[in-house]
Amino acid sequence: HYLNKSAKDELNMLDYLVEWARIKYASQVFTPEKIDVYQYVIKALDALEGNASSNQVKLDNCIHENTFVYVDAKMLMSIFHNIISNAIKYSKQGDVVTINSSTSDNEVLFIIKDEGVGMSMEISQNLFIPNLDNLKKPREMNKGAGIGMLLTKSSVEANGGKIWVESSEGKGSSFYFSLPKNQLLPKDKGDPRINFSDIICKD
């Protein structure tokens, strides 16, 4: 039984690596367009509502309609699904996962914040580094996000954005990522940490 589970784990990791490679190198399937993020956040939340309910975690969407970015739709869905599902997984009963955004002239900065178990500095620093030892350790210890975050990072960067995490053990995690509002020119590269502070939901 143990060998069977171990083999399944390795096959799952292989599937993730194949998907990561596809995102990173298969540019022919990359089809960015201008889309309203709100619709995709709603889809992701609908898909994860059952998971959140069973864990008694509340999902709080503060992103409004007509929040447009220039992005590949499938990758956008994957980004939100991976980060939100991870936030639910490491939240405690009664916690809230908040999805929010801040807009500048050229891009939209998103934050997905949870109140869960958080991560050590070592895990958060290695979260986006493609190293097999780093990938296996979080999975075996049930800490951190593992290879799903590599897929997320690849998707964000393929669309011209950046991603990072701020976390501490016992105090939750905040994932930040930027996406361009319009099609990027090769020279359009900047620091996504623009005028953003933790903001509360505004109706």
Side-chain angles (χ1 to χ4, degrees):
H1 177 74
Y2 175 80
L3 288 176
N4 186 42
K5 181 180 184 304
S6 179
K8 284 183 178 179
D9 284 345
E10 296 306 320
L11 284 172
N12 287 339
M13 176 171 279
L14 181 59
D15 287 342
Y16 276 125
L17 287 170
V18 169
E19 177 66 9
W20 176 49
R22 185 190 71 80
I23 290 172
K24 202 162 183 65
Y25 301 111
S27 58
Q28 69 271 18
V29 302
F30 179 63
T31 54
E33 58 185 322
K34 193 144 190 173
I35 57 178
D36 187 353
V37 177
Y38 177 82
Q39 308 297 332
Y40 289 83
V41 173
I42 294 299
K43 288 180 183 178
L45 294 182
D46 285 347
L48 293 167
E49 183 58 44
N51 190 15
S53 295
S54 64
N55 287 279
Q56 297 183 37
V57 174
K58 181 184 176 185
L59 302 177
D60 194 3
N61 176 27
C62 300
I63 294 176
H64 296 290
E65 291 184 87
N66 300 315
T67 302
F68 288 96
V69 291
Y70 192 85
V71 64
D72 180 278
K74 288 183 179 179
M75 289 185 179
L76 180 66
M77 189 67 181
S78 174
I79 292 165
F80 277 109
H81 191 280
N82 281 345
I83 299 178
I84 296 170
S85 63
N86 189 67
I88 295 169
K89 181 178 180 180
Y90 295 103
S91 290
K92 307 176 296 296
Q93 289 186 358
D95 283 352
V96 178
V97 174
T98 305
I99 303 95
N100 217 330
S101 66
S102 176
T103 302
S104 74
D105 290 341
N106 299 316
E107 60 193 3
V108 180
L109 183 62
F110 299 94
I111 175 173
I112 298 174
K113 183 175 183 177
D114 67 63
E115 304 168 327
V117 298
M119 293 176 279
S120 67
M121 183 176 293
E122 179 188 4
I123 291 176
S124 61
Q125 286 178 341
N126 290 319
L127 197 58
F128 300 113
I129 299 174
N131 179 292
L132 283 176
D133 289 336
N134 292 337
L135 296 179
K136 291 179 72 174
K137 191 183 300 182
R139 187 191 66 200
E140 292 166 354
M141 297 171 63
N142 198 31
K143 294 180 180 178
I147 196 166
M149 288 298 104
L150 284 184
L151 295 175
T152 301
K153 180 176 185 285
S154 294
S155 295
V156 170
E157 292 181 345
N159 287 280
K162 294 183 181 180
I163 185 170
W164 69 95
V165 62
E166 296 176 358
S167 183
S168 58
E169 288 185 282
K171 296 183 179 179
S173 302
S174 295
F175 283 84
Y176 300 83
F177 64 95
S178 64
L179 291 171
K181 290 170 69 175
N182 300 292
Q183 185 172 10
L184 288 178
L185 299 174
K187 65 179 181 179
D188 287 341
K189 294 181 179 179
D191 187 349
R193 304 187 189 206
I194 41 168
N195 299 325
F196 190 93
S197 59
D198 281 350
I199 52 180
I200 60 173
C201 292
K202 301 186 181 88
D203 293 324

